[in-house]
């Protein structure tokens, strides 16, 4: 019975992740989103029934998130914003469910569920939308409309940059850990398909975030990596430079087309596609009320239909919804976790590259959050993964009942074991 509950919990979690990848407008979107939340809560419920959920005290990050969501819910209730109150209650339930799930499985097993959900999403795209994907990937341009940007399963191109750019990192992490050539190649192929979706969507914010994440990783390995890692990095860099120089003309032409650089509305002279004006309006709204500056307005109270314009930045969104105090604490939870994962992942003499990649995945969502509002969110696969990853990396020291090597504690001064062990035998 316990084994069945464990498997059912993982299947429900995978189905929840898969549903968050569907974004077709209309009633179907609401059904998919609410269905995903319901499945996620059920996954947490069956995690408890399995009897394998470890009794571990809440981490500091879990307390921060819990108090932030509870306070936002109370603010919304006091201001009679019932929809925001319900959102706050929903996030508290999701937080509890994710906290249970990260205590049920090892790091590799939880990541495996997310990867399989991504495999299902990519397979769905290739079955249902191959023409649209390959047309946009080739740089399809329509007269009077400009570049045709791919919208995977109805998802906005900007959001798809976060979801599929992050998916590429998730599969690259798997490639580093895979113990057979076939598994490494499969992981690389999936990472390539995720990057293809990113390019087809012309998600420039996603490409920027990936570039920033890559430079961060390269810089840290060059400074603190082993001699072998530095040599490998140098060889890859030289091969990349040679490939770019040989094909520079074609690469430049393709990137200019797919990134819409010469567009009058999305090009270099467009003011970041109007984002600078939106950010200015958002900052002005943050400081327009001294009380709300501290308390925030409640979760999902900064939606375009509420304030009249979209907030295209998680950092402005945090200030509007959670106030400066809790907004800053939430941001610090991500920043500190990423920093310590990167530092401990490159410890001299015993590098743990899976842990290092986990830190880079958080760097990616922090960079992406400059351009979108999904740092705290559960309605798309990667934001949900980022929340699970932050909670997982901050689990306090575990009891002796825990199998050696299942967890890696980042914020604890005495980490228990490696993030990557034991070996995960799943194909992806």
């Amino acid at each position: 019975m316990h084994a069945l509950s464990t498997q059912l919990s993982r299947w429900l979690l995978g189905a929840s992740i898969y549903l968050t990848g569907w974004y077709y407008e209309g009633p179907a979107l609401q059904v998919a989103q609410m269905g995903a939340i319901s499945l996620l809560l059920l996954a947490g419920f069956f995690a408890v029934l399995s009897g394998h959920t470890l009794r571990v005290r809440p981490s500091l990050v879990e307390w921060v998130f819990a108090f932030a969501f509870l306070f936002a819910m109370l603010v919304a209730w006091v201001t009679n914003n019932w929809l925001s109150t319900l959102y706050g209650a929903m996030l508290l339930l999701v937080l509890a469910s994710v906290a249970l799930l990260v205590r049920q499985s090892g790091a590799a097993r939880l990541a495996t569920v997310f990867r399989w959900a991504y495999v299902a999403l990519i397979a769905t795209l290739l079955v249902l939308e191959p023409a649209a994907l390959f047309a946009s990937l080739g740089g399809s341009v329509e007269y009077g409309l400009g570049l045709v940007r791919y919208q995977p399963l109805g998802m906005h191109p900007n959001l798809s940059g976060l979801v599929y750019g992050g998916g590429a990192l998730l599969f690259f992490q798997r490639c580093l850990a895979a113990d057979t050539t076939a598994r490494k190649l499969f992981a690389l192929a999936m990472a390539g398909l995720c990057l293809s979706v990113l390019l087809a969507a012309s998600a420039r914010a996603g490409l920027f975030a990936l570039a920033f994440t890559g430079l961060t990783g390269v810089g840290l390995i060059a400074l603190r990596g082993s001699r072998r890692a530095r040599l490998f990095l140098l060889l890859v860099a030289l091969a990349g430079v040679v490939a770019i120089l040989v094909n520079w003309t074609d690469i430049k032409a393709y990137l200019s087309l797919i990134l819409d650089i010469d567009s009058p509305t999305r090009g270099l002279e467009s003011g970041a596609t109007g984002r600078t004006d939106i950010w200015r309006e958002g900052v002005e709204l943050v400081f327009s009320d001294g009380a709300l500056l501290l308390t925030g307005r409640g979760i999902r109270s900064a939606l375009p239909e509420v304030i009249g314009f979209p907030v295209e930045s998680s950092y402005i969104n945090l200030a509007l919804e959670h106030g400066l105090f809790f907004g800053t604490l939430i941001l610090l939870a991500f920043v500190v976790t990423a920093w310590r994962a990167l530092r401990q992942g490159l410890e001299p003499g015993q590098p743990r590259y899976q842990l290092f990649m986990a830190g880079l995945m958080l760097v990616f969502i922090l960079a992406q959050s400059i351009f979108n509002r999904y740092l705290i969110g559960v309605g798309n696969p990667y934001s949900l993964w980022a929340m699970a990853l932050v909670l997982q990396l901050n689990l306090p020291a575990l009891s002796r009942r825990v199998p050696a090597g299942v967890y890696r504690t980042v914020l604890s001064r005495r980490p228990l074991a490696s993030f990557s062990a034991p070996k995960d035998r799943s194909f992806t």
Side-chain angles (χ1 to χ4, degrees):
M1 180 63 182
H2 288 179
L4 178 61
S5 295
T6 298
Q7 290 301 319
L8 188 55
S9 174
R10 291 173 183 168
W11 276 99
L12 288 169
L13 174 60
S16 173
I17 300 163
Y18 177 76
L19 276 180
T20 61
W22 287 75
Y23 262 77
Y24 288 118
E25 292 294 336
L29 175 59
Q30 300 302 322
V31 171
Q33 293 284 295
M34 294 310 299
I37 296 299
S38 300
L39 291 173
L40 179 61
L41 297 181
L42 282 173
F45 173 74
F46 280 101
V48 175
L49 285 186
S50 71
H52 297 155
T53 304
L54 302 169
R55 295 183 178 181
V56 182
R57 69 181 185 274
S59 67
L60 176 60
V61 168
E62 287 172 331
W63 283 119
V64 166
F65 284 177
F67 279 116
F69 298 162
L70 179 61
F71 185 75
M73 185 178 70
L74 292 175
V75 168
W77 179 71
V78 169
T79 57
N80 294 320
N81 187 343
W82 303 115
L83 182 61
S84 182
T85 305
L86 291 175
Y87 273 121
M90 180 195 71
L91 270 183
L92 280 172
L93 290 173
V94 168
L95 176 66
S97 184
V98 174
L100 291 170
L101 289 168
V102 300
R103 284 163 169 78
Q104 182 194 32
S105 304
R109 292 172 183 169
L110 186 63
T112 296
V113 177
F114 275 86
R115 284 193 297 269
W116 275 117
Y118 267 97
V119 169
L121 284 171
I122 292 293
T124 303
L125 298 181
L126 294 176
V127 170
L128 297 182
E129 304 174 344
L133 171 60
F134 291 116
S136 295
L137 192 59
S140 177
V141 178
E142 290 188 7
Y143 179 76
L145 295 177
L147 182 70
V148 178
R149 303 175 68 190
Y150 179 50
Q151 300 185 50
L153 300 177
M155 185 180 292
H156 192 282
N158 293 342
L159 176 57
S160 65
L162 169 68
V163 171
Y164 291 96
L169 294 175
L170 193 59
F171 283 107
F172 186 70
Q173 182 196 47
R174 173 56 185 162
C175 179
L176 293 178
D179 55 359
T180 67
T181 302
R183 290 172 179 167
K184 287 182 181 293
L185 291 176
F186 184 84
L188 281 177
M190 293 305 303
L193 286 170
C194 286
L195 291 176
S196 297
V197 175
L198 181 69
L199 280 174
S202 185
R204 297 181 300 188
L207 289 169
F208 164 80
L210 275 179
F212 180 81
T213 302
L215 290 174
T216 300
V218 168
L220 289 175
I221 291 175
L223 290 173
R224 302 190 58 191
S226 64
R227 180 178 299 177
R228 181 179 178 182
R230 292 177 182 176
L231 178 60
F232 176 77
L233 191 65
L234 178 61
L235 293 175
V236 170
L238 288 175
V241 169
V242 170
I244 290 173
L245 290 177
V246 170
N247 301 283
W248 173 243
T249 302
D250 293 335
I251 292 174
K252 180 181 178 182
Y254 179 72
L255 290 179
S256 177
L257 173 63
I258 204 70
L259 299 181
D260 227 5
I261 291 176
D262 298 323
S263 169
T265 56
R266 297 186 71 228
L268 297 177
E269 304 299 325
S270 65
T273 320
R275 277 194 175 93
T276 51
D277 293 333
I278 293 172
W279 291 339
R280 183 172 61 252
E281 285 187 69
V283 172
E284 290 173 355
L285 184 58
V286 168
F287 289 96
S288 64
D289 189 308
L292 294 178
L293 177 65
L294 296 176
T295 65
R297 292 162 166 78
I299 295 169
R300 299 298 182 268
S301 60
L303 294 173
E305 53 267 29
V306 177
I307 63 175
F309 62 93
V311 179
E312 299 289 350
S313 170
S314 290
Y315 306 116
I316 298 174
N317 196 75
L318 283 175
L320 286 173
E321 294 188 353
H322 294 278
L324 286 187
F325 179 70
F326 278 114
T328 301
L329 287 181
I330 290 172
L331 178 58
L332 284 175
F334 281 88
V335 172
V336 172
T337 302
W339 175 69
R340 292 193 172 179
L342 293 172
R343 180 172 57 85
Q344 293 187 13
L346 290 180
E347 286 182 347
Q350 50 176 352
R352 299 174 176 88
Y353 289 112
Q354 283 203 80
L355 178 61
F356 182 69
M357 280 299 304
L360 289 180
M361 283 189 271
L362 294 180
V363 169
F364 172 75
I365 196 172
L366 286 168
Q368 258 277 353
S369 292
I370 299 172
F371 305 98
N372 64 42
R373 58 178 177 83
Y374 301 105
L375 182 62
I376 292 293
V378 294
N380 70 81
Y382 197 75
S383 292
L384 183 58
W385 166 246
M387 176 181 285
L389 185 60
V390 168
L391 296 192
Q392 190 173 59
L393 290 174
N394 286 283
L395 284 177
L398 306 181
S399 68
R400 293 181 181 179
R401 296 174 51 236
V402 183
V406 172
Y407 288 100
R408 167 78 175 183
T409 303
V410 168
L411 292 191
S412 171
R413 290 188 178 182
R414 292 182 298 174
L416 185 68
S418 169
F419 178 82
S420 58
K423 287 185 178 179
D424 178 17
R425 294 295 179 184
S426 63
F427 189 76
T428 60

